[in-house]
Amino acid sequence: MRIHHILSAKAFSFCPRSLFSAIQEMLLRTKLKHLTYKHIIPLIRSLSYLNPQPQVSQQQQPSSLRRQQDPYSLLKEEPIQILADLWVKTFSQRQEPKPFTNLTGFLSKFDLWVLAYQRTCAHVSGTFPPRNALHSDVLCDVLSLRNAVVRNKFSWNCKTHQFIRGPNEKPLTKLLSRRQLNPILTSKNPPFQDRVVQEVLFMILEPVFDPRFSSKSHAFRPGRNAHTVIRTLRSNFAGYLWFLRGDLSPILDEVDVNVVMRCIENAVKDKKVLNLIKSGLKGAVNNCLTDVECEGKMKKSKRKKGRTKKRILSENEPKPDPYWLRTFFNFAPEEAAKVPNYGYCGILSPLLANVCLNELDQMMEEKIIEFFKPCEQDSIWKYSIEDGYHNPSWPEFVPSGGKEKTRKMDYVRFGGHFLIGIRGTREEAVGIRKDIIEFCENNFGIRLDNSKFEIEHITRGIDFLDHTLCRRIIYPTLRYTGTGGKIVSEKGVGTLLSVTASLQQCIRQFRRLEFVKGDRDPEPLPCTPMLYSGQAHTNSQMNKFLETMADWYRYADNRKKIVGFCAYVIRSSLAKLYAARYRLKSRAKVYKIATRDLSRPLRESSNNSAPEYSDLLRMGLVDAIDGVQFSRMSLIPSCDYSPFPRNWIPDHEKVLHEYINLQDPKFFYELQKSLKQQVLSSPQDDMSEIVWSCKTLGIQNYCLNGATEVHDASPTVRR
């Protein structure tokens, strides 16, 4: 029986509020006998739409209250400028960071909440709504959500009392029945308002913590990704023999709330922000219906088994990811496959994971400095830790061993996985492993087993992010001019650090996605998910997948080989699919008709009366069929060996540093002084000279003088 059939707000409009609540409780006790008394009262009190509030017209409200509730009057600043100023402030204090004691001021800025709503709508619906197109009702809802957060009245995962609803959610115009309410309460999707609050916290906390993070961390940070890790390994890990691979992925699954709060409190002292994050981590929701939800009083109705209908997406609902993108995401390496999700923090969880693991990064940076011991008799890192002697795009491998060698260590982390390279003895590597195990157990409560924290030699090959680090022995030919002017050619021996893509891991990923079967000699299987798609659409999807795979293996030495293997698997899989779809019985017949790259049209043999493909293409009735890419090795791009600086920083950090330096009067004075000494002019000086000439000479005279100067200078240029 529906709740709104039992209660009617109009029938009790004359009763006082206390008497109205009492009558509600009494009626629900008598009518809903299958529910207990202790669950009925919280149910009534939690459903705000069952307790009608007295309606107050806008004219009866005080003028001060109306001014506070006007959302348009609160839109005073540009949200991008607010965040940019915060980034500049935090990066200017990077050398001596100070904790932020008042972030509530940023949390109260209504402009940031509107931007968070826009970004959340773009994530949910796929479209970014313009600021001037937002309805006044939406702005009022955003304002009420902001006020609830600032006044500590907001509860995470509260699905019965929502301040704002998503753009694709239908408004509640009538009371919900028990059957309609049950899927809302049992849904694992967070409410839309939780995502807006997460977005606001993320925009405020990211510029606070990112300058404090170590440059050794590359995951879940702007401007850094798995490619920067691979390039760092190629550039900086050339002289190491022993490697330690650590796995801290359990901290991405579950983390102690006290550990996270202890790490956050080192940079943030605002109690309101801390309490909001802590409540999201604990999952403490002040929702009265959680008792009913946990005890399972609302039984699921048994549905009859039948034929399921295909779900049709609404107009504003975002479409699912295409097949090629889902396939590429399934190729994610083990180090990048796991994304943390703590409690109700959502998109804030990766940032919180980096905040915790930043303590390990700082400890390793101190270890690197302590471990370094230069030796002038060595050929690498003779004097300082920053010495470089080789081409960073393809460095020479210098073996280590003995007392007359430089002792050095380096470290890099991606998410919950880290890699340590050691130039020294194995006993020193064992000592470093012991120190890291003790640190992780004391600070994170995680016990690292020796089996998951192995010490490996470079000759065995070090796997990280589906790439393998190894030594490559080369035999270069050295040519030089000897005595008497003779050219001498000699064979030499050298070693280089090689970063190659793991072919075995690629085969395992293809086998998991059912593209191939077998290990040593994998046999391609037909791509059955694209069975009912046309040839043009299928080729287009697979081309996008191959382009993305070629970009993923961009910095692998064997890029041509690994991308060629992927193209062979995809092309053979599509050929088997087309052979089954068009009844051609074998791949050879498919290649004979559609050529090697499957670019020519295929059609069923039974449909001989169909018009020619060229005629349909000319009339625009069919799509053009693009051939499968990389059908030949010459079409596959080579490895990208562009140099990667040792102290590399992302572009946005460079811009911030330059902007901060230009704001310093001393730096600006020294810059102007150097320009005058080198007899150079800045663009500002050139523009001011042009404006002054236009004012003094006039536009026509200035143009004539400029043309005369050009005419006089042209013969000189010709000479």
Side-chain angles (χ1 to χ4, degrees), residues 610-622:
E612 291 294 334
Y613 173 78
S614 57
D615 298 335
L616 296 176
L617 182 62
R618 186 172 58 255
M619 291 185 294
L621 300 178
V622 294

Side-chain angles (χ1 to χ4, degrees), residues 364-553:
M364 288 304 304
E365 287 183 346
E366 297 175 359
K367 283 280 185 184
I368 290 172
I369 298 175
E370 294 175 2
F371 187 80
F372 178 68
K373 185 179 179 181
C375 181
E376 295 184 4
Q377 299 179 1
D378 202 349
S379 59
I380 183 173
W381 299 307
K382 296 181 180 180
Y383 306 105
S384 68
I385 199 171
E386 299 296 338
D387 285 348
Y389 74 103
H390 53 248
N391 180 12
S393 62
W394 200 347
E396 181 183 356
F397 188 89
V398 180
S400 64
K403 297 181 180 180
E404 297 179 354
K405 296 294 182 181
T406 298
R407 195 177 70 169
K408 192 176 181 297
M409 178 175 62
D410 209 342
Y411 162 86
V412 68
R413 180 178 64 84
F414 188 85
H417 297 258
F418 60 89
L419 183 66
I420 303 173
I422 300 174
R423 181 180 172 86
T425 61
R426 192 180 189 281
E427 289 74 15
E428 292 171 338
V430 172
I432 294 172
R433 179 175 67 175
K434 183 179 178 181
D435 295 340
I436 295 176
I437 290 175
E438 292 179 357
F439 179 85
C440 293
E441 187 174 3
N442 296 333
N443 290 268
F444 305 138
I446 298 177
R447 177 67 180 177
L448 292 176
D449 298 332
N450 292 338
S451 60
K452 295 183 179 180
F453 199 10
E454 297 181 356
I455 301 176
E456 299 176 328
H457 197 266
I458 186 64
T459 54
R460 295 178 54 186
I462 313 302
D463 294 330
F464 198 73
L465 287 172
D466 286 355
H467 287 67
T468 304
L469 275 72
C470 58
R471 280 191 302 183
R472 176 183 294 182
I473 300 176
I474 60 173
Y475 301 93
T477 302
L478 305 178
R479 294 184 176 89
Y480 59 92
T481 304
T483 56
K486 294 182 178 180
I487 298 176
V488 181
S489 299
E490 292 182 356
K491 287 273 188 177
V493 179
T495 55
L496 295 175
L497 180 68
S498 178
V499 180
T500 59
S502 176
L503 182 60
Q504 295 299 325
Q505 182 64 21
C506 183
I507 293 174
R508 284 194 291 267
Q509 297 283 22
F510 271 124
R511 189 173 63 250
R512 185 171 59 85
L513 295 175
E514 298 181 354
F515 273 94
V516 297
K517 63 179 180 179
D519 290 333
R520 296 184 179 179
D521 190 12
E523 177 67 21
L525 298 175
C527 183
T528 53
M530 304 296 292
L531 180 61
Y532 298 102
S533 299
Q535 184 179 356
H537 178 71
T538 304
N539 286 8
S540 175
Q541 290 284 305
M542 292 298 103
N543 279 337
K544 292 178 181 178
F545 171 73
L546 288 175
E547 290 175 1
T548 314
M549 292 295 293
D551 184 70
W552 164 238
Y553 294 118

